[in-house]
Amino acid sequence: MIIEHPLLGPRDMAEFVYLGDAALINRPDWQDPDAANKYYEYQYLRDNPAGLHRELWYHEQGDRSWLVVTRDTLTHEITNVELARDVAVEEGRSR
Amino acid sequence: MTQYNRIDGGLIDRSRVLNFSFNGKQMQAHPGDTLASALLANGQKLVGRSFKYHRPRGIFSAGSEEPNAMVQLRSGAYLEPNTKATVVELFEGLSATSQNHRGSLEFDLMAVNDFLAPFLSTGFYYKTFMWPKKFWEKLYEPIIRTSAGLGKLSLQEDPDCYDKGFLHCDLLVIGGGPAGISAALSAGRSGAQVILADEDFIIGGRLNSEVYEIDQMAGSDWVLTAKAELETMDNVRILARTTIYGAYDHGIFGALERCNDHLASTNNKPRQILWRIYSKRSILTAGSTERSIAFGNNDRPGVMLAGSVRTYVNRFGVAPGKQVAIFTNNDDGWRTATDMAAKGVSISAVIDSREIDPRAKISGAGLFLGASVVDTTGRKGIKSITLSNGQTIECDCLAVSGGWNPNVHLSGHQRGRPEWREDIATFVPGKQLPVGMACAGAANGNLTLNSALHDGYDIAGRQMHDLGFEVAKPLTVDAEDESCEITPFWHVKESRKRAWLDLQNDVTVKDIKQSNLEGFRSVEHLKRYTTLGMATDQGKTANILALAIMAECTGKTIPQTGTTIYRPPYTPVPMGAMAGRSRGKDFRPFRLTPSHQWAEQHGAVFVETGNWLRAQWYPRRGETTWRQSVDREVEQTRKSVGICDVTTLGKIDIQGRDAAEFLNKVYVNGFAKLAVGKTRYGLMLREDGIAYDDGTTARLGEHHFVMTTTTANAVLVFRRLEFARQCLWPDLDVHLISITDGWAQYAVAGPNSRGLIRKIADKEYDLSNEAFPFMACKEISICGGTLARLFRISFSGELAYEIAVPTRFGGSLMEILMEAGKEFDVVAYGTEALGVMRIEKGHAAGNELIGQTTALNLGLDRMVSSKKDCIGKVLSQRDALNEEDANRLVGFRPVDRSHQLVAGAHFISKGNQPVMLNDEGWMTSVCFSPTLGHSIGLGFIKRGDQRKGEIVRAVNPIQNSEIEVEIVSPHFVDPEGERLRV
Amino acid sequence: MRYSAFKVFLQGLTGNKGWQPMWREPEPKAEYDVVIIGGGGHGLATAYYLAKEFGISNIAVVEKGWIGSGNVGRNTTIIRSNYMLPGNEPFYELSLRLWEGLEQEFNYNAMISQRSILNIYHSDAQRDQFVRRANAMLLAGADAEMADADQLRKELPFLDFDNSRFPIKGGMFQRRGGTVRHDAVAWGYARGADSHGVDIIQNCEVTGINIENGTCQGVQTSRGIIKAKKVAVCVAGLSGRVMSYAGMRLPIESHVLQAFVTEGLKPVIPGVITFGAGHFYVSQSDKGGLVFGGDIDGYNTYAQRGNLPVVEDVAESGMAIMPMIGRARLLRSWGGVMDMSMDGSPFIDKTHIDGLYFNGGWCYGGFKATPASGYCYAHLLAKDVPHSTATEFRLDRFRRGHLIDEKGQGAQPNLH
């Protein structure tokens, strides 16, 4: 597979390390009254879709960016690649 | 009988003679021959034996689809089993032997299977060999195993080397026949980067096998002209002898170039190169493969594919027989007759299953229309055929054409399914193709020459347009569209004898019928039950035929019956090529520590730690066991001072206004209040609450920290920190960089360590206990101005330091420390002594941090701050991880001090049976403690923290041993930590 | 039809024309006591044991394609019980014991061949872990043996003892481990289940699960609605998709595992060999091909095909321990979709929906588990309590923190 890195252009998948569903960005608040349940769902449950999947790849043999890649799990077609940090900021992850 | 079947013409170099041998028999042929054409030229009909019935087999085809003619090529460590004679380019001195027979090729004792065939029906082995139960592994299976298999491995290391490479192109042309060449011309003229790959050693495909003319020249000459034009283009690369074996995601293809297989010796150059080709577009112009017709005894040596017979006649100047019969269901088969007749080969009959007008007049040949071949004779070479009208005709070669199947394989590597085309009675590539791929020519069902030429050119032109290139001027060639009319005819129903489909695996029409009878009707069941198409040719000549017969049995159409899945590789790829240079010592790179050279000079024994090589111990003269060396290293360190290279620990430089806050989030314990100039031990959890890694982090400045990780987790921790930084807390002002390779680091441990450090540190630094106490850190200079970082931390439990310098000074620092330390009788110690001292101190390490243990298990639960969040905090609080009887890390010593502890022994309470139900934990790390004079260990045991003093059984049934051990504190030496602080 | 050498002989005399279908091809009935979704090894084994051991025979196994088309038809055929953790080891040992008597029990030769499995170790720390594991196996009643490098050199002289990057220091054998003719397992169970009256319905895709008031009523299929008192999902690889019909999210990701076979060769490798410094395991089939595999590709996929980096990595590891295979040719590769769970261990459990049961999460260990998985799932379906060896395979274990993580990799499926 080839991932179109937003900063570095097309790069072979072998340069990357895969983590999983991009929902792993949404780490729950530890002081939430329902934290135990939220953390369980966050850490363990997956949508695991057959189709478009937003997922985290790390450019370990490159610039060390974490990327959010939108990829079809049936065809492996990649339709979007974003810097995970941008996604995280957009999703309101801040102190 | 030299080259008894050689005739005029062909693309061979008759000016030179090549000597080769088959089964020890010396023969001659010419450059340009394949082993198969050379064997045929020399009249060698019998070449191999089939897999199951050991039937005599000859050469069936002229290409990589060959099911029969497999040989063992070369000898000794170069022995190459299962090599298709049809793709071996002949070289001087080539030696080949036949395979898979007991006794000689001519008199194979295993041929008895053929007579037992009725009892070896499809799947017979699933129905018997069940009793007596013990006989399977002892008798039945060994017999089956030795009977099965094809060629032999040499059992020696492959002496050849292989390379890997990467290529990039705009258009990859897969197959260099007429469609492929014209596609390459089209794209090449557009100025695109083109790779044209063909598995043959000359490009041209069928043009080299046929007598077609293009622009009034012989097809093979047109190929040379086109090739010459392509070779003038810098943007075109022709890869002959190169098979595109797999189509992977996003336009990536695997390719195998056999660069030196055609030479007697590779002369230490790579035998083959495995290319990974990155293409923007690809065009599948892989041509088509002829299929056979099933009739009685259609597997005899001399029964060949008609198109392949033409290849031997036209390209190699070899007539596979002196008297040839042709059996066809299509017009193409007739060309074999006309081509051979033109070369003066005697044609005894043309049999066409269609009731048609004769397609040609062949002098001397009987024409049988609407007829078929029912049976053949001739065990080691065909002698005659019997027709459906009962007539017998003599022949020594039968050329069979059942029609042509487009080579759709690569179009289906991403699970696209081919589509049936009724007009040409075959499957063509479906609509769901690999990204960027188009198909053209025969591979796309355009089986005639003129259409293939234009198809390739035009489709490549469209791809060029897509890529933004200027489309080349239209192709102007003059070639014919020969007739390829066909009426499907799959098998001769009148045949009473076995009729073969899969020649190599001996699957016959009867087997398909039986498979249907027993309910194995899906194509995948059919394949798996009968082994159809599972041989080394993957059923290239057999599968469609078998599908058609299954369709007939079930009353379905062929497209309803469907095909099995096409999967890489297209043709088999050697494991050596797949591995390339990554083998032997080069399997993975070595990482060497800065003191490696010094250690080598001082006789160190090294140990692999991940990719690192670390000094394990330093034997001295007179020491005969590793224990003597290790004990000495420990004793000398604890008595005076020792040096250990700890560069392999992960080192991460962390800077930014929020660096302290960041550390607070990744460690369970607090770092925000750590004073500048201080170091702290930290524990990291995974988000699931399990202990992950530990190490020390030093605060060199308000916004500057240096973290160390374990050697094993250096890369992984860094990755996780980046995840935390970029994805979880993107607003924090913090930056990370790995400095593992940038800084050399040594532990200097022992009561005299301060004395030693003082000798090399520049004089302005006060290193007294008051000025530089335990856990202090500081950037200093040593040896007159060289930058260094000094940490007063200790893994050994002694007064100790770790000192880091830029890596380029690491080698020198080791020498300087050892030189300066002479007055203290300094010792270099390796990883074993390091391990002994850490067990004596009760520190957890790799054997305890196994990804299954919690802070509680490790006895570090009090470190987890309740006041702040950290990775893993919430999930570490789950009930099952905090049970009353959770495992605790404690120390163990043998009740009888002379006993040795064993890592991996399990703990069972006294009086309990040694069974899993009573298992209470296990010993993780053991060593002989030279300090205490007996064996000690660390381990996890339920409620261990409350059981100090209890005696339990350490059972080790795998080594038939069991001893009693006492649960003790894990801190065996200096439990109060006084030595650290002096 | 009972199979025997005599039957093969008789049929041979009469042209092999008297064989009968191994299973019927029935039309689905309107209602069953149990509908098992998935005609793979586990589903068919479940049906077989339910009918044979637990007296429930009004069962349908519904399969979207052909039976055995999932991972039972696409694996490296290895059986073993060399696990370490109490939640796993007794279960896999039960499985191995069931394998040992299987062929005689269902009168079908699946070529269960206990030619041993060897795990090679390359460091002292690895050895310590294998000693721990071997002892756990012995404490659970399984078999294990430790061998040092000298012993291995005698037994497997073709391994690279002298030039390998990571020296071979020894290994752990389980002599009762080995291989099985994988397709035959599906066929044998299908034939056995069929003979006990189970309806095996191929080409019948489940498109929905009917749930009313928290109770499962049956399934919707491409061949109509089938009612059932109990619905047993058994579709590892596609668990996420099927359970989404019941609105459930699972602690599972779908990943592809590639496997490979070489051209047929005369016997060289006696048992199963597993490399300890890279991802590679290999055995030689009775037909002669070297069957081998390595790591999963590592990204979520349902595509049943993989990519080159893993192919090359596996070949490199193979050459690293046995450089004699350089001139053997890789013949075919394939890819199967795995249910990769969050701790590497499976699930056999009831769901929160009455009458809906779940079996999945087998990672790439499902094949060896086939008999025990079927047996334990049948036990659960019949008695509504887990079998004693499968008490830990619960869906709620992550909520409780009761992890069964043999590799210690944590909640990251692609590392298991």
Side-chain angles (χ1 to χ4, degrees), chain B residues 609-685:
Chain B
T609 311
N611 284 343
W612 290 102
L613 272 190
R614 298 185 72 180
Q616 197 171 10
W617 64 84
Y618 296 84
R620 281 203 186 149
R621 189 167 302 161
E623 290 174 344
T624 53
T625 68
W626 64 272
R627 263 278 309 283
Q628 290 174 317
S629 311
V630 172
D631 289 356
R632 169 181 50 76
E633 288 169 18
V634 170
E635 280 163 350
Q636 219 165 321
T637 300
R638 292 220 185 279
K639 198 172 84 195
S640 178
V641 59
I643 316 270
C644 183
D645 191 331
V646 293
T647 303
T648 62
L649 295 176
K651 300 186 280 298
I652 301 169
D653 201 85
I654 302 170
Q655 299 194 36
R657 282 192 309 277
D658 300 319
E661 192 181 340
F662 180 74
L663 286 169
N664 252 4
K665 292 180 184 301
V666 299
Y667 276 130
V668 299
N669 45 333
F671 275 76
K673 289 180 188 147
L674 181 65
V676 173
K678 285 290 186 182
T679 305
R680 184 169 288 172
Y681 172 79
L683 176 69
M684 262 180 222
L685 306 181

Side-chain angles (χ1 to χ4, degrees), chain B residues 132-147:
Chain B
K133 200 175 150 184
K134 285 216 160 83
F135 274 35
W136 174 252
E137 279 95 348
K138 295 213 157 57
L139 179 70
Y140 304 134
E141 191 184 41
I143 292 174
I144 291 174
R145 284 174 82 82
T146 44
S147 312

